[in-house]
Coordinates of all heavy atoms in Angstrom, one line a residue:
Chain A
P278 N 24.5 -15.4 44.9 CA 23.6 -15.0 45.9 C 22.3 -15.8 45.9 O 21.7 -16.2 46.9 CB 23.3 -13.5 45.7 CG 24.5 -13.1 44.9 CD 24.9 -14.2 44.1
S279 N 21.9 -16.1 44.7 CA 20.6 -16.9 44.6 C 20.8 -18.3 45.2 O 20.0 -18.8 46.0 CB 20.3 -17.2 43.1 OG 20.2 -15.9 42.4
R280 N 21.9 -18.9 45.0 CA 22.2 -20.2 45.6 C 22.3 -20.2 47.1 O 21.7 -21.0 47.8 CB 23.5 -20.8 45.0 CG 23.4 -21.1 43.5 CD 24.5 -22.1 43.0 NE 25.8 -21.5 43.2 CZ 26.4 -20.6 42.4 NH1 25.7 -20.2 41.3 NH2 27.6 -20.2 42.7
H281 N 22.9 -19.1 47.6 CA 23.1 -19.0 49.0 C 21.8 -18.8 49.7 O 21.5 -19.3 50.8 CB 24.1 -18.0 49.4 CG 25.5 -18.3 48.9 ND1 26.3 -17.3 48.5 CD2 26.1 -19.5 48.8 CE1 27.5 -17.9 48.1 NE2 27.4 -19.2 48.3
R282 N 20.9 -17.9 49.1 CA 19.7 -17.6 49.7 C 18.8 -18.8 49.7 O 18.1 -19.1 50.7 CB 19.0 -16.4 48.9 CG 19.8 -15.1 49.1 CD 19.4 -14.0 48.2 NE 20.4 -13.0 48.2 CZ 20.4 -11.8 47.6 NH1 19.3 -11.4 47.0 NH2 21.4 -10.9 47.7
L283 N 18.8 -19.6 48.6 CA 18.0 -20.8 48.6 C 18.5 -21.8 49.6 O 17.7 -22.5 50.3 CB 18.1 -21.4 47.1 CG 17.3 -22.7 47.0 CD1 15.9 -22.5 47.4 CD2 17.4 -23.2 45.5
A284 N 19.8 -22.0 49.7 CA 20.4 -22.9 50.7 C 19.9 -22.5 52.1 O 19.6 -23.4 52.9 CB 21.9 -22.9 50.6
G285 N 20.0 -21.2 52.4 CA 19.5 -20.8 53.7 C 18.0 -21.1 53.9 O 17.6 -21.5 55.0
F286 N 17.3 -20.9 52.9 CA 15.8 -21.1 52.9 C 15.6 -22.6 53.3 O 14.9 -22.9 54.2 CB 15.2 -20.8 51.6 CG 13.7 -21.1 51.5 CD1 12.8 -20.2 52.0 CD2 13.3 -22.3 50.9 CE1 11.4 -20.5 52.0 CE2 11.9 -22.6 50.9 CZ 11.0 -21.6 51.4
E287 N 16.3 -23.5 52.6 CA 16.1 -24.9 52.8 C 16.6 -25.3 54.2 O 16.0 -26.1 54.9 CB 16.8 -25.7 51.7 CG 16.2 -25.4 50.4 CD 16.8 -26.2 49.2 OE1 18.1 -26.3 49.2 OE2 16.1 -26.6 48.3
L288 N 17.7 -24.7 54.6 CA 18.2 -25.0 56.0 C 17.2 -24.6 57.0 O 17.0 -25.3 58.0 CB 19.6 -24.3 56.1 CG 20.3 -24.5 57.5 CD1 20.5 -26.0 57.8 CD2 21.6 -23.8 57.6
G289 N 16.7 -23.4 56.8 CA 15.7 -22.9 57.8 C 14.5 -23.8 58.0 O 14.1 -24.1 59.1
L290 N 14.0 -24.2 56.8 CA 12.9 -25.2 56.9 C 13.2 -26.4 57.7 O 12.5 -26.9 58.5 CB 12.4 -25.6 55.5 CG 11.7 -24.5 54.6 CD1 11.3 -25.2 53.3 CD2 10.6 -23.9 55.3
K291 N 14.4 -26.9 57.3 CA 14.9 -28.2 58.0 C 15.0 -28.0 59.5 O 14.5 -28.8 60.3 CB 16.2 -28.5 57.4 CG 16.6 -30.0 57.7 CD 17.9 -30.3 56.9 CE 18.6 -31.5 57.4 NZ 20.0 -31.7 56.9
R292 N 15.6 -26.9 59.9 CA 15.7 -26.6 61.3 C 14.4 -26.5 62.0 O 14.2 -26.7 63.2 CB 16.6 -25.4 61.5 CG 18.1 -25.6 61.1 CD 19.0 -24.7 61.9 NE 18.8 -23.3 61.8 CZ 19.6 -22.4 61.4 NH1 20.9 -22.8 61.0 NH2 19.3 -21.1 61.3
A293 N 13.4 -26.0 61.3 CA 12.1 -25.8 61.9 C 11.3 -27.1 61.8 O 10.1 -27.2 62.3 CB 11.3 -24.7 61.1
G294 N 11.9 -28.1 61.2 CA 11.2 -29.4 61.1 C 10.1 -29.4 60.1 O 9.2 -30.3 60.1
V295 N 10.2 -28.6 59.1 CA 9.2 -28.5 58.0 C 9.8 -29.3 56.8 O 10.9 -29.0 56.4 CB 8.9 -27.1 57.6 CG1 8.0 -27.1 56.4 CG2 8.3 -26.3 58.7
D296 N 9.1 -30.3 56.3 CA 9.5 -31.0 55.1 C 9.3 -30.2 53.9 O 8.2 -29.8 53.5 CB 8.7 -32.4 55.0 CG 9.3 -33.4 56.0 OD1 10.5 -33.2 56.4 OD2 8.5 -34.3 56.3
E297 N 10.4 -30.0 53.2 CA 10.4 -29.2 52.0 C 9.7 -29.9 50.8 O 9.8 -31.1 50.6 CB 11.8 -28.9 51.6 CG 11.9 -28.0 50.4 CD 13.4 -27.8 49.9 OE1 14.3 -28.0 50.7 OE2 13.6 -27.6 48.7
N298 N 8.9 -29.1 50.1 CA 8.2 -29.7 48.9 C 8.8 -29.0 47.7 O 8.8 -27.7 47.7 CB 6.7 -29.3 49.1 CG 5.9 -29.9 47.9 OD1 6.5 -30.1 46.8 ND2 4.6 -30.1 48.1
P299 N 9.3 -29.7 46.8 CA 10.0 -29.1 45.6 C 9.1 -28.1 44.9 O 9.6 -27.2 44.2 CB 10.3 -30.3 44.7 CG 10.3 -31.5 45.6 CD 9.4 -31.2 46.7
E300 N 7.8 -28.3 45.0 CA 6.8 -27.4 44.3 C 6.9 -26.0 44.8 O 6.5 -25.1 44.2 CB 5.4 -27.9 44.6 CG 5.0 -29.1 43.8 CD 4.7 -28.8 42.4 OE1 4.0 -27.8 42.1 OE2 5.3 -29.4 41.5
W301 N 7.4 -25.9 46.0 CA 7.5 -24.5 46.6 C 8.5 -23.6 46.0 O 8.4 -22.4 46.1 CB 7.8 -24.7 48.2 CG 6.8 -25.4 48.9 CD1 5.5 -25.7 48.5 CD2 6.9 -25.9 50.3 NE1 4.8 -26.4 49.5 CE2 5.7 -26.5 50.6 CE3 7.9 -25.9 51.2 CZ2 5.5 -27.1 51.9 CZ3 7.7 -26.5 52.4 CH2 6.5 -27.2 52.8
I302 N 9.6 -24.2 45.5 CA 10.7 -23.4 45.0 C 10.5 -23.0 43.5 O 10.4 -23.8 42.6 CB 12.0 -24.3 45.1 CG1 12.1 -25.0 46.4 CG2 13.2 -23.4 44.8 CD1 12.3 -24.1 47.6

Side-chain angles (χ1 to χ4, degrees):
Chain A
S279 304
R280 294 196 300 277
H281 296 146
R282 291 167 198 189
L283 178 56
F286 177 81
E287 296 181 320
L288 178 58
L290 288 187
K291 195 170 161 195
R292 292 208 302 233
V295 175
D296 281 338
E297 183 187 333
N298 180 337
E300 283 290 309
W301 296 346
I302 315 294

